[in-house]
Amino acid sequence: MTITRRELHGPTPCPVVDPEREIIHVDCASHSYPDGSIGIHDMCFHVLKNEIVAICGPNGSGKSTLIEHLNGLLTPSQGKILVQRRLLSGIESSNLWRVVGVVFQQSDDQLFAPTVLDDVMFGLLNLGLNRKEAKERAMHALEAVGGAHLARKIPNYLSGGEKRLVAIAGILAMRPKVIALDEPTSDLDPVHTGRIERLIIGLKEEFGIGVVVATHDLDFAARIADRICLVKNGSVFAEGPPAEVFYDPDLIREAGLEIPSGIRLYLDFCTAMGVVPGKRPVRREELVAALREVPEKE
Amino acid sequence: MSALPVSSHIPDPDLITYYAEKQDSFFSGVSPWTKLASLAVLIVGITLLRDPLALLGLYLVVLSLFILAKLPVEKLLRWYLFPLLFVVSLVGILAWTQPGNPVLDFSVAGIPVTLTDTGVLLVVTLAAKTLISITFSLFFLMTTRYEYLSGMISRIFPAPIDQIFLMAYRFFFLTFAMVGSILKAVRSRGGGLVRGMRTEGVLFAEIIGLVFIRSFDRAERVEKAMRARGYRGSYSNTTEIPSPGIGGYGVLALCILVIIASSLVFPSGGW
């Protein structure tokens, strides 16, 4: 798979890539805010089953706006959104929250109920489950994220990492087909960041959920993503596998981002050793293996 | 959590919640409905009672409950300041106009000013009633888990009033923390020293304005997050609240009897 580039000006096609696995297809969607600022513009994006896709771009590039469209919080003024190849009507798009769950950047905005268990049950009760079923599913979700011991606690007094876990549990309990996370590791210490990373990978591997992660942290994206979408000025202008995208410094620079530090270290090391990089390692274990194979300078 | 307590004379919601969640006294296990009903009976009682001795006795009983519940008495005494100031501001001038036996007598610019025993009783009686209701209210809040409070609110008040209360209660904590953070930022750069009424007035207005703006902004984000999980204007609380039981009803009946007996036994004198 190579990098797919998309022109930001003029009409460009937005084809369906994998009809069997595609859950959400955003087709040339545009949205502007009341103050005239552009949220997304001619956005072409898709989410596949069993995949972690990272939307990477600087602040204000349209990542959060795109995520709010996936959940139905915003509707595009132009273009359309298809769910499992079906175009949603106006009423149906207001039910997108049943298919796509969103974990917001600020957990404090998401956790409002008196206790953690009440908060995780909130979405389930809105889905129409009775109290007993909702409680069971909520406890299962809390156990899945390692937060069962927090059930009776008041969300206000949880640590940042615990709040993030509970927010994810609240969405996981609803069993959506797609979970979108907006900057899931911002404000977290390295221990909790690692925990969230393992959880996100688990969402894909254990639950078969399509995962969308909006982030400007390419190191984080490099560790977990199967596909990278680079966003600028409200549009995805390039996408591809991490091994292709992260090894294209011009592309990364165009996106207003920095190459992941592990990859930069590998490239700098190869330059220092006077060798051309033979591989394109992305994840840590790949980087370690590749560094070991770099021949010593003679 | 609050960044800095706003004042040691204002009840700290975090401390109240800490004790409420600690649940290490006998009274934490008493049904919240019993305690709430007792509070209501108490309010009726202090409205009917006028005898200062009866009110003093009632205050000592309530204070004893507070102490037995292992709650912080020192903090409580500090928290009395503003309610007492309120009472003084309400009846402070009125107290000097009451008929009765003079206690204090002097003149100001040729105008005679007299404080009578009735005036003193007026202040004392109202202060006692205030302290009784505040002490028992704090006792109730500090021995009842937040989840039970929210459950009770959703059962007592109709929609959407219950939701307004629930959200307001939750965001009271967050707003307090926000004000504490702003004050911390102000004090960290030398602010907070009283330089003059105008300067402090401007600073105060700026802080209040900022709190409003941030609160609105946050409320919008919270509403968005709720809609993202299917919220359509109705939120039902599902917490099970322990029911009173026979003992609880017995205590309640006893309280009612004591109040009725007191209002019959004690004279309606005082103020």
Side-chain angles (χ1 to χ4, degrees), chain B residues 204-224:
Chain B
F204 181 73
E206 285 172 350
I207 291 174
I208 294 293
L210 194 57
V211 168
F212 265 113
I213 291 168
R214 287 189 181 175
S215 299
F216 275 124
D217 186 45
R218 176 160 232 159
E220 281 183 353
R221 293 203 303 270
V222 170
E223 192 262 347
K224 191 188 289 187

Side-chain angles (χ1 to χ4, degrees), chain A residues 2-36:
Chain A
T2 57
I3 295 173
T4 306
R5 286 204 68 126
R6 195 164 177 273
E7 293 304 315
L8 297 180
H9 305 289
T12 42
C14 191
V16 173
V17 172
D18 187 340
E20 295 303 312
R21 288 174 62 208
E22 193 171 83
I23 307 172
I24 305 275
H25 186 87
V26 179
D27 191 349
C28 302
S30 296
H31 178 89
S32 297
Y33 288 101
D35 65 355

Side-chain angles (χ1 to χ4, degrees), chain A residues 116 139 141-152 162 165-166 169 195:
Chain A
V116 163
M139 283 308 300
L142 281 169
E143 280 160 15
V145 304
H149 62 290
L150 302 173
R152 289 197 80 188
E162 288 173 336
L165 289 176
V166 170
R195 211 167 155 189

Side-chain angles (χ1 to χ4, degrees), chain B:
Chain B
M1 289 282 187
S2 303
L4 270 182
V6 178
S7 166
S8 61
H9 296 291
I10 295 176
D12 183 357
D14 288 322
L15 190 68
I16 290 173
T17 309
Y18 164 74
Y19 278 99
E21 298 301 307
K22 208 171 158 195
Q23 297 276 295
D24 68 346
S25 80
F26 164 76
F27 299 102
S28 302
V30 173
S31 165
W33 292 118
T34 305
K35 287 184 277 193
L36 182 66
S38 301
L39 177 61
V41 167
L42 192 72
I43 300 292
V44 171
I46 60 177
T47 306
L48 294 173
L49 280 175
R50 286 186 168 188
D51 186 84
L53 284 178
L55 287 169
L56 179 63
L58 191 54
Y59 171 70
L60 289 173
V61 167
V62 170
L63 185 63
S64 303
L65 288 174
F66 196 90
I67 294 168
L68 286 169
K70 301 179 197 171
L71 299 175
V73 178
E74 193 205 320
K75 296 274 183 192
L76 177 70
L77 296 175
R78 286 177 174 274
W79 293 342
Y80 281 163
L81 176 66
F82 285 117
L84 288 175
L85 284 175
F86 177 71
V87 168
V88 168
S89 70
L90 214 58
V91 297
I93 294 174
L94 201 63
W96 294 81
T97 64
Q98 298 299 305
N101 300 318
V103 169
L104 199 61
D105 200 352
F106 55 91
S107 64
V108 175
I111 304 169
V113 178
T114 306
L115 181 65
T116 63
D117 53 354
T118 313
V120 171
L121 272 173
L122 169 65
V123 176
V124 167
T125 308
L126 284 176
K129 292 183 180 187
T130 302
L131 295 185
I132 289 167
S133 58
I134 283 169
T135 305
F136 197 85
S137 298
L138 286 167
F139 164 80
F140 169 58
L141 287 174
M142 294 170 90
T143 57
T144 305
R145 296 187 72 127
Y146 176 44
E147 61 174 321
Y148 294 150
L149 280 176
S150 65
M152 291 166 86
I153 287 170
S154 70
R155 283 159 179 74
I156 292 171
F157 296 99
I161 297 173
D162 62 332
Q163 294 180 56
I164 294 170
F165 267 109
L166 272 171
M167 298 299 157
Y169 189 76
R170 162 96 171 100
F171 290 101
F172 177 66
F173 286 85
L174 295 176
T175 305
F176 237 64
M178 199 188 297
V179 172
S181 296
I182 294 172
L183 284 176
K184 192 178 179 182
V186 166
R187 288 174 193 167
S188 71
R189 283 181 287 174
L193 299 172
V194 179
R195 291 193 171 87
M197 278 192 66
R198 189 171 180 281
T199 310
E200 294 311 303
V202 168
L203 186 63
F204 181 73
E206 285 172 350
I207 291 174
I208 294 293
L210 194 57
V211 168
F212 265 113
I213 291 168
R214 287 189 181 175
S215 299
F216 275 124
D217 186 45
R218 176 160 232 159
E220 281 183 353
R221 293 203 303 270
V222 170
E223 192 262 347
K224 191 188 289 187
M226 290 173 76
R227 279 195 295 118
R229 283 193 284 169
Y231 177 69
R232 291 295 178 266
S234 164
Y235 167 59
S236 55
N237 188 282
T238 59
T239 308
E240 283 172 9
I241 303 168
S243 49
I246 294 172
Y249 288 120
V251 165
L252 209 53
L254 186 65
C255 290
I256 294 171
L257 282 171
V258 166
I259 294 296
I260 293 172
S262 301
S263 55
L264 290 172
V265 166
F266 286 97
S268 60
W271 185 88

